[in-house]
Amino acid sequence: MAEELDIDEDNVRVAVIQYSDDTAVYFNLKTHRSKKAIIYAVRSLRHKGGIPRNTGAALQFVQQNVFIASSGSRHLEGVPQILFLLTGGESNDDVSGPASDLKQLGVLSFAIGMKNAKQEELQKIAFSSRFVFNLPVFGELLSIQPEIAAFVKSEIQTEPPTIVDMIFKHSLSIFFLVELDPTQRDIVFLLDGSDDTRSDFPAMQSFAQRVVETLSIGESKDHIGVVQYSKDPQTHFSLNTYMEKQDVLAAIRQLPHKGGRPLNTGAALDYVRNNVFTDSSGSRTQEGVPQILILLSGGRSEDDVTSAAVALKQDKIVPFSIGSRNADILELQTISYIPSYAFLVSHFHDLGIIQQLVSFVKRVPRQPGIKPLEVLALSLSLSLSLPLVMSSLLDNLT
């Protein structure tokens, strides 16, 4: 993670704290001023050990001892404060109060749990539901690292508090407000309409509808487009066609199955990049709105998908891939933004996969861009304070 950040005294600062029954600072935000020094210090960390796991006390500790000016925090200068909590299990003490205090301070807390971590507790700790990751094994940490690094490295748009904020949010009135959960997303469904999916097509439609039902559709909110393909692709509606959720749901419900063969997924990926994720079709990529592609496929492509997938990612489009029947998981992973964004299901009615997909989709961060009326806003993209709290994870390896 540190290798991808612009670490120095005037840009990103990093601290590392480890805890179990008590909390220990390994280095604070002003200890190391170069990337090389940070990486060396992290590699030299020794496992702390100890029981029980007091996560609540550790959160209170970082608020009172790390996010302060004497430890190198630049909070009073409006520099975003970001906390990564890595934990391998449930806390022995209460986390609610300390988590609430961090949020009131404006700290953006990510809660990353593994093995025996409790989802409900992680949600209490995280600043937003987008910042919760509950992983089954330690090896999955690498799968979320690109997503987290993209958030940290992206331009974080900040603006001074308004009069309303100063009246109703007095505790935050001296700080900059940071835009978080992007309520705007451009999402395109790419549906396999080949002969092989004729019997599965109603389930695909239902899958897309269930995803849409979880979103906020509107002129200044989420926009949806749908493309169906087999030998060649066909746009059913673009990102700027419907601005009401009921209209989107009705249009998906009325989709006719296209039919045809062979299945040319590579050509379809090129098509959506060149014809759907465009300004004329309603894409808001120039405004920094996340560009998301959801592929539903029932088989292996007859053409190459590699170059088309690379081109999508280079254009900052984030593909997710869901395959059934004869779909190839390696092909789906090639297409997807990261391998964990690829899913192989026995049928498209799998509610668990839908919930997991929606969770990932809502975590896709905004891209740097110019939004309307932001000319008068302040842009703070060069300075971040990044404390990293490390739990005694090795306790869970034995």
Side-chain angles (χ1 to χ4, degrees):
M1 183 74 173
E3 290 176 346
E4 298 194 32
L5 302 176
D6 187 13
I7 295 173
D8 64 41
E9 185 177 8
D10 296 324
N11 294 315
V12 178
R13 297 181 183 179
V14 176
V16 171
I17 295 90
Q18 193 177 169
Y19 76 99
S20 52
D21 56 332
D22 57 4
T23 308
V25 176
Y26 280 81
F27 54 88
N28 63 31
L29 292 165
K30 65 179 183 181
T31 304
H32 300 297
R33 301 184 179 183
S34 71
K35 181 183 298 188
K36 183 177 180 180
I38 293 287
I39 293 173
Y40 179 80
V42 171
R43 287 175 177 169
S44 302
L45 288 177
R46 293 186 177 182
H47 179 242
K48 183 179 183 301
I51 53 174
R53 178 187 293 105
N54 292 327
T55 306
L59 294 174
Q60 184 177 22
F61 180 91
V62 295
Q63 181 206 346
Q64 296 175 350
N65 298 278
V66 182
F67 288 115
I68 57 175
S70 61
S71 292
S73 170
R74 294 163 291 174
H75 185 86
L76 296 178
E77 302 171 34
V79 176
Q81 311 287 284
I82 302 176
L83 171 69
F84 290 114
L85 169 73
L86 279 71
T87 182
E90 185 176 8
S91 178
N92 187 64
D93 61 356
D94 181 62
V95 302
S96 301
S100 177
D101 291 342
L102 283 169
K103 293 171 186 176
Q104 289 181 6
L105 189 63
V107 176
L108 308 183
S109 298
F110 285 72
I112 304 170
M114 289 153 285
K115 250 189 156 180
N116 300 315
K118 300 297 182 182
Q119 180 74 11
E120 182 180 355
E121 184 174 274
L122 297 177
Q123 289 174 337
K124 289 180 181 178
I125 295 169
F127 192 95
S128 161
S129 59
R130 288 181 56 228
F131 298 168
V132 175
F133 298 84
N134 201 353
L135 309 174
V137 293
F138 294 94
E140 284 291 309
L141 276 172
L142 292 178
S143 71
I144 65 171
Q145 187 265 340
E147 181 180 345
I148 293 176
F151 173 86
V152 175
K153 292 192 295 183
S154 67
E155 290 184 349
I156 299 179
Q157 304 297 328
T158 65
E159 42 187 74
T162 65
I163 296 299
V164 173
D165 291 320
M166 294 176 71
I167 294 174
F168 292 101
K169 300 180 181 178
H170 181 68
S171 63
L172 296 179
S173 62
I174 64 171
F175 306 127
F176 291 104
L177 304 180
V178 181
E179 181 179 12
L180 298 172
D181 189 8
T183 56
Q184 296 176 313
R185 304 173 189 86
D186 290 340
I187 301 174
V188 175
F189 289 93
L190 181 58
L191 308 180
D192 176 353
S194 65
D195 290 344
D196 291 337
T197 63
R198 189 173 302 277
S199 61
D200 285 341
F201 195 70
M204 284 188 184
Q205 291 170 285
S206 177
F207 186 103
Q209 287 177 301
R210 288 179 182 274
V211 173
V212 170
E213 285 170 352
T214 69
L215 304 173
S216 298
I217 310 297
E219 183 72 36
S220 59
K221 297 181 180 180
D222 297 327
H223 292 184
I224 305 295
V226 171
V227 175
Q228 191 180 169
Y229 78 103
S230 53
K231 179 181 179 181
D232 52 9
Q234 174 188 353
T235 299
H236 286 281
F237 56 90
S238 300
L239 292 164
N240 54 6
T241 304
Y242 300 116
M243 295 298 122
E244 298 291 337
K245 180 181 291 189
Q246 293 307 314
D247 292 337
V248 173
L249 292 172
I252 294 174
R253 186 167 53 249
Q254 296 167 10
L255 289 176
H257 183 251
K258 185 178 187 299
R261 60 179 58 191
L263 183 67
N264 291 329
T265 305
L269 295 175
D270 279 332
Y271 175 87
V272 295
R273 180 174 64 89
N274 294 321
N275 298 277
V276 185
F277 287 109
T278 62
D279 293 346
S280 59
S281 293
S283 170
R284 295 167 292 175
T285 186
Q286 298 300 320
E287 302 170 28
V289 174
Q291 307 291 287
I292 298 169
L293 174 68
I294 299 177
L295 167 69
L296 302 182
S297 174
R300 182 178 176 83
S301 179
E302 293 292 331
D303 63 354
D304 179 63
V305 302
T306 304
S307 60
V310 169
L312 281 169
K313 297 165 193 176
Q314 288 177 340
D315 282 2
K316 299 181 180 179
I317 297 166
V318 179
F320 293 82
S321 304
I322 301 92
S324 71
R325 296 174 65 89
N326 300 315
D328 182 343
I329 185 60
L330 294 180
E331 181 177 275
L332 297 178
Q333 290 177 338
T334 298
I335 295 169
S336 300
Y337 191 73
I338 56 177
S340 59
Y341 285 0
F343 306 89
L344 194 60
V345 298
S346 56
H347 53 77
F348 287 107
H349 290 298
D350 191 330
L351 294 180
I353 292 298
I354 294 173
Q355 293 170 352
Q356 190 173 359
L357 172 67
V358 169
S359 174
F360 283 152
V361 164
K362 290 186 176 181
R363 289 174 182 159
V364 176
R366 289 189 67 93
Q367 298 293 338
I370 300 174
K371 297 188 296 179
L373 304 181
E374 267 193 351
V375 177
L376 300 178
L378 296 177
S379 175
L380 183 58
S381 60
L382 294 179
S383 299
L384 295 172
S385 292
L386 179 62
L388 171 63
V389 177
M390 300 181 66
S391 169
S392 301
L393 297 180
L394 295 184
D395 285 340
N396 295 277
L397 291 176
T398 59

